[in-house]
Amino acid sequence: MKLWSMPSSGNSYKVRLLLALLGRDCEVVDVEYLTEALEAAKAAGRLPFGKAPVLELDDGRLLPESNAILCWLGEGTLFVPEDAFGRAAMLGWMFWEQNQHEGVIAVRAALQVYPHRRAQATPERMAELLERGHALLQVMEDRLAGHDWLAGDAVSLADLCLYGYTHTAGSRGGFDMARFPGIGRWLDRIAALPGYEGIEA
């Protein structure tokens, strides 16, 4: 397999994290923002939706979208609950991550990290994203204050999915993570999983 991966992206990282936790071999091709590698991958038709990550299977099929890749890789592993309700609960968190969480937590970080986006980081927009982000993180905190994992009683793809951007929400996004001790304990539990690799790995 080959993973077309953007090193700085939480969406790409969560796929690399699952691969590491599963011990799966995969060639990783870096296609960072504003690089010739990214443009070459687009020109070669390796990024169907114009962005990373994309998992290229051994038979040449291309699977875009981080959470779709997680579901494919996670099939039949301990990261996918066996019961139908557990799987649906897991997917609920994964849909929420892309529909709500990523568009605020990741965007605020991107406006600060990527030079070509800093012009969009007006004080008003950054303040709005900070307020909205803290509200979204509180949704996670409400669950994790009394549970070890987001869906059910064991780690699942939901946790890996939300970990991607949450674990850098403080350092990259400027969110006050001290307000969320339940999230902090959850982050530590994920980092302690056998095979764990950090975003810089």
Side-chain angles (χ1 to χ4, degrees), residues 6-27:
M6 187 169 289
S8 64
S9 162
N11 281 324
S12 290
Y13 167 62
K14 59 192 176 188
V15 177
R16 299 196 306 273
L17 175 59
L18 179 57
L19 286 166
L21 294 174
L22 293 175
R24 297 284 299 271
D25 290 329
C26 184
E27 178 186 353

Side-chain angles (χ1 to χ4, degrees), residues 6-9 31-36 38 110 114 116-117:
M6 187 169 289
S8 64
S9 162
V31 287
E32 188 54 84
Y33 274 126
L34 302 179
T35 64
E36 292 183 5
L38 178 61
Y114 298 123
H116 66 287
R117 297 194 62 178

